[in-house]
Amino acid sequence: MRLSPRATTLLVLAVLIALSPLMFPSNFYYRVGSLIFMNGLAVTGMVILIGYAGQISLGHAGFSGIGAYSCAIMPVQWGIHPLLAPLLGAAISALLAWLVGRPILRLKGYYLAVATLGFGILVYMVLMNEAALTGGPDGITVADSGLPDLAEAAGLDLSNSQFWYWMSGLVLLAGAWLALNLYDSPTGRALRALHGSEVAARTVGVDVARYKLQAFVISAVYASVAGSLLALQNKFITPDVAGYMHSIELVTMTVLGGAHSVLGAVFGAAILTMLPQVLTVFAEYEHLLLGLIMMLVMIFLRDGLLPSLMRLIRGKSE
Amino acid sequence: MPELLQFLFSGLTVGAVYALVALGFTIIYNASDVVNFAQGEFVMLGGMITVFAHAAGLPLLLAAGIAIAATAVIGVALNKLAIEPARGAPVVSLIIITIGASIFLRGVASLVFDKQIHRFPAFSGDAPFRIGGATILPQSLWVIAGGVAVFIALWLFFTRTLTGKAVLATSNNRLAAQLVGINTNWVMTLSFALSAAIGALAGVLATPITNTSYDVGIALALKGFAAAMLGGMGNPKGALVGGILLGILEALTAGYLSSQYKDAAAFIVILLVLFIMPQGLFGARQTERV
């Protein structure tokens, strides 16, 4: 029996999520694992934007910031149920992406990059400066979601890290499933068509502006949910989640692993998330090495790490 | 009016630095169609190398000269080692390569130098001039003069010299330029050296006012990038006007509205300009061949 690429991807992800804990020597690794899944989720959204539609955004951390701060602000300030906050955050992100995306997505290449970058910085500055609401640069505590307690009541004896490991793993699987379904849908085909050539896509009747906007909004929701998960796990959040460096990291993870496949991008997220943990011994060299890796991969493995690795393996077996 | 004049002075000073960074962007963009996100690191290197050379006992002028020359060499190395090998890569890859380069250079600077904030003395003392009730530092005049001088020199270079015209020809059509006998590789080397040297000069001129540290590059690159976009990518006149407009705009926002949101104002105006005139103020309207 031959599995479809979609089923293969989901299977590989599910097996990795389920079996990795067998190799975890301590609880700390659950935390790193959950961070990988959260970044993987945001990056899956970037695959839709960069890999499918061929657009770039240097401001998607802004949406992560909105998702994260929704979880921090809404339950405390406005009495909204903690589990409703991520959903409302995602809705706000979607609405904002829709409003901002309409004018921004007319731009191409570097102009699109600077416009999205500007958007991300604006969100970051609001989070930094509206201290009465957001706690300013010092950050803000996030009320407990009650979810880990619910799991305990249901008979699952999990630590906080363990709970969020499984939770974000499941959300990543769901996100990957949706993104893979989208790939083969009419929308996915339209996105790939406009990636190839906007003019050609328009000629065959694709509403280019509408589909680009859809990809932008969907990827914003992914980033927002990832931000919410991070806030709920950490129970504390600072404006850095919406910062320029985080936006850059998201794009780098996506392209590093391979922007055309969900699995590749999640692989990229895993590598870049683990890098600082592995390099704690060389903390001084962390930035130097990160920059070096970014350059080397983009110069020598243009399709990203995973596709290049796969080609190497296939080439040897044939 | 002295208040307004004061804001204009500080806006002009900052704007001249942005203009220098934007001019650096423009040169590399023209020669290679690459937006170099590591441009801010050239400014940082210019300031930092001068600081440490000066602290080692060299006279200020010699230290500045060494800093500018060293940064130019680093610019050429960036081209040879990272940009040339990636020729023809998609825009996203090029953005990541130059961002990677900027993170790398920042990492190297934090190791080779340190993570402290530094400055060196102003060229002509710190006694401010009084004009119409407002004050301006002599160093501000140096920065503004530097910006204008570089712009004029570049304008003469691109319009009056054969080498400058070879750079323009390369940016228009690389293959055609090669066919008429222009050494395009050399043009690329020259462009990166020139761009890095201009960045370093901005760092040398501005450090006595703004101070410097290993991480000043990001903010400067973003502002310079924004200024270049505002004026229209690839146009030296646009870079100059965009930089100075951005500086004045920031100073006015900081003075009259809110100092916390001065950076926000810059980006809001840039977003508006891009929505209304997607090619910037002076950019040529482009038609894409299919």
Side-chain angles (χ1 to χ4, degrees):
Chain A
M1 194 189 83
R2 241 190 123 69
L3 286 168
S4 69
R6 185 173 56 169
T8 318
T9 301
L10 288 175
L11 197 67
V12 169
L13 270 182
V15 168
L16 282 177
I17 294 171
L19 296 186
S20 299
L22 296 178
M23 296 181 294
F24 288 172
S26 76
N27 221 349
F28 172 72
Y29 287 75
Y30 281 99
R31 200 186 131 64
V32 178
S34 60
L35 283 179
I36 291 177
F37 298 154
M38 289 165 193
N39 281 328
L41 183 69
V43 161
T44 303
M46 299 300 279
V47 168
I48 296 172
L49 186 70
I50 299 177
Y52 295 5
Q55 309 298 309
I56 187 164
S57 167
L58 296 184
H60 255 57
F63 297 117
S64 290
I66 292 171
Y69 275 82
S70 295
C71 290
I73 295 170
M74 286 180 181
V76 179
Q77 302 265 2
W78 305 329
I80 289 166
H81 192 278
L83 292 184
L84 215 53
L87 300 179
L88 280 174
I92 293 173
S93 292
L95 185 70
L96 203 63
W98 186 73
L99 285 173
V100 178
R102 274 155 63 103
I104 277 187
L105 288 166
R106 286 190 306 152
L107 306 167
K108 288 193 183 72
Y110 291 115
Y111 287 87
L112 181 62
V114 80
T116 48
L117 188 120
F119 164 77
I121 289 179
L122 290 180
V123 173
Y124 175 72
M125 292 182 69
V126 171
L127 296 178
M128 285 288 275
N129 293 329
E130 297 304 316
L133 197 60
T134 65
D138 297 335
I140 187 172
T141 51
V142 181
D144 193 79
S145 58
L147 272 178
D149 292 339
L150 266 178
E152 206 176 333
L156 292 165
D157 187 22
L158 299 170
S159 70
N160 188 54
S161 304
Q162 283 174 335
F163 174 81
W164 287 108
Y165 176 86
W166 296 111
M167 184 72 195
S168 50
L170 284 177
V171 177
L172 172 62
L173 266 184
W177 179 66
L178 288 174
L180 291 165
N181 276 347
L182 188 74
Y183 187 79
D184 290 321
S185 73
T187 306
R189 281 198 293 273
L191 290 175
R192 282 182 280 154
L194 74 88
H195 186 178
S197 162
E198 282 193 25
V199 178
R202 204 176 288 127
T203 317
V204 295
V206 173
D207 186 346
V208 169
R210 199 185 105 210
Y211 282 110
K212 278 205 258 183
L213 189 60
Q214 273 187 9
F216 194 68
V217 170
I218 294 171
S219 60
V221 170
Y222 272 86
S224 175
V225 173
S228 294
L229 285 170
L230 183 71
L232 290 175
Q233 181 190 25
N234 281 357
K235 301 205 183 91
F236 184 78
I237 206 82
T238 66
D240 284 341
V241 69
Y244 165 71
M245 270 314 284
H246 190 211
S247 286
I248 301 297
E249 276 170 12
L250 289 180
V251 177
T252 308
M253 287 171 182
T254 314
V255 183
L256 193 73
H260 296 287
S261 75
V262 170
L263 208 55
V266 173
F267 183 61
I271 289 189
L272 275 202
T273 313
M274 285 190 290
L275 194 67
Q277 320 288 345
V278 180
L279 294 182
T280 40
V281 197
F282 313 101
E284 299 240 295
Y285 297 90
E286 187 193 325
H287 276 135
L288 196 151
L289 286 170
L290 174 67
L292 207 57
I293 291 172
M294 285 166 76
M295 289 193 283
L296 290 178
V297 171
M298 280 302 101
I299 293 169
F300 296 110
L301 310 167
R302 280 193 202 173
D303 297 329
L305 277 175
L306 195 64
S308 305
L309 276 177
M310 294 302 285
R311 207 173 305 131
L312 204 67
I313 295 165
R314 290 218 180 94
K316 285 229 172 99
S317 67
E318 268 163 19
Chain B
M1 281 288 102
E3 206 180 31
L4 177 65
L5 201 61
Q6 187 66 59
F7 295 149
L8 283 179
F9 283 164
S10 62
L12 264 178
T13 310
V14 181
V17 176
Y18 294 163
L20 281 171
V21 181
L23 282 169
F25 270 126
T26 304
I27 295 168
I28 289 183
Y29 182 76
N30 271 346
S32 63
D33 280 332
V34 171
V35 169
N36 174 27
F37 278 80
Q39 194 69 30
E41 268 57 41
F42 293 155
V43 183
M44 176 272 288
L45 287 171
M48 289 295 266
I49 297 175
T50 311
V51 165
F52 279 82
H54 185 54
L58 294 177
L60 197 54
L61 200 63
L62 184 62
I66 289 173
I68 292 171
T71 310
V73 171
I74 292 169
V76 172
L78 174 69
N79 176 44
K80 288 285 177 223
L81 300 177
I83 308 290
E84 288 274 341
R87 173 157 305 289
V91 170
V92 184
S93 308
L94 289 169
I95 289 178
I96 292 186
I97 288 174
T98 56
I99 290 178
S102 84
I103 296 176
F104 176 75
L105 287 175
R106 215 177 305 147
V108 172
S110 74
L111 287 173
V112 174
F113 305 119
D114 57 19
K115 296 191 174 181
Q116 310 297 315
I117 295 170
H118 296 281
R119 80 181 286 257
F120 48 81
F123 299 170
S124 347
D126 289 317
F129 297 115
R130 303 199 147 271
I131 302 166
T135 60
I136 188 163
L137 288 169
Q139 191 65 29
S140 293
L141 298 179
W142 276 106
V143 176
I144 296 166
V148 173
V150 166
F151 174 74
I152 293 172
L154 280 180
W155 180 72
L156 289 174
F157 174 68
F158 281 123
T159 54
R160 298 293 149 86
T161 68
L162 202 58
T163 320
K165 285 176 181 166
V167 176
L168 290 183
T170 308
S171 77
N172 263 331
N173 188 332
R174 198 181 170 83
L175 187 64
Q178 271 171 343
L179 288 175
V180 296
I182 294 169
N183 184 347
T184 51
N185 279 333
W186 187 75
V187 165
M188 290 283 289
T189 304
L190 180 74
S191 305
F192 272 82
L194 205 58
S195 172
I198 291 173
L201 177 70
V204 170
L205 293 173
T207 297
I209 303 174
T210 58
N211 299 340
T212 191
S213 68
Y214 78 104
D215 60 354
V216 292
I218 316 174
L220 281 169
L222 293 184
K223 297 293 176 56
F225 187 16
M229 288 276 168
L230 184 62
M233 208 67 217
N235 184 327
K237 192 171 63 184
L240 184 75
V241 176
I244 287 176
L245 271 182
L246 190 63
I248 291 179
L249 190 78
E250 268 188 29
L252 291 181
T253 315
Y256 289 115
L257 295 171
S258 142
S259 59
Q260 289 170 324
Y261 281 106
K262 75 178 168 76
D263 301 316
F267 280 106
I268 287 173
V269 168
I270 288 149
L271 285 179
L272 289 177
V273 169
L274 286 179
F275 295 161
I276 301 160
M277 290 174 282
Q279 303 299 331
L281 293 173
F282 295 97
R285 184 151 288 282
Q286 282 177 354
T287 43
E288 195 183 340
R289 199 175 304 169
V290 185

